Amino acid sequence: MGDAAIPVSIPVCNSGDIAEGGKGKRFAVSIHGADASGFVIRYGGQVYGYLNRCAHVPVELDWAEGEFFESSGLYLMCATHGAVYAPDTGRCEGGPCTGARLRKIEAFEKEGHIFWSPDDYVRPAPD
Ligand code: FES
């Protein structure tokens, strides 16, 4: 039904906009009809996407727009209570929700651009 209208992939930014272990890019999503955000980061040369929501308390992770990595560039960090997450798996490696995971969002790079793919839970934000 309506699913046919959901695009397979949605552009986020140019490849050069996100550097290894550096600032990420947020994008708008919809979760059960509510506004939320996802983000993409680059780590180990790969692009990873996650829902911008701590596994501990459902707040956004970035302390300033796009700032997801802690200072070493090795972990993503929740600005609220400091949970740190492995950038490649989204697993919390330290903090109040150790072992919990960020919700992955399919993200990929193609021809100099980065895209994300909606799924059954993370839907495109309404126009
Ligand atoms: S809300 Fe993120 S560490 Fe607690």
Side-chain angles (χ1 to χ4, degrees), residues 5-24:
I6 301 292
V8 176
S9 58
I10 299 174
V12 181
C13 60
N14 294 324
S15 290
D17 292 344
I18 56 169
E20 179 73 26
K23 242 177 140 173

Side-chain angles (χ1 to χ4, degrees), residues 53-61 77-85 92 94-97:
R53 181 175 286 180
C54 190
H56 169 225
V57 174
V59 299
E60 294 188 335
L61 299 169
M77 189 173 76
C78 173
T80 305
H81 308 114
V84 290
Y85 296 92
C92 180
C97 48

Side-chain angles (χ1 to χ4, degrees), residues 23-24 26 52 61-69 79:
K23 242 177 140 173
R26 296 164 55 114
N52 189 8
L61 299 169
D62 43 343
W63 47 274
E65 176 152 350
E67 299 288 358
F68 295 100
F69 279 99

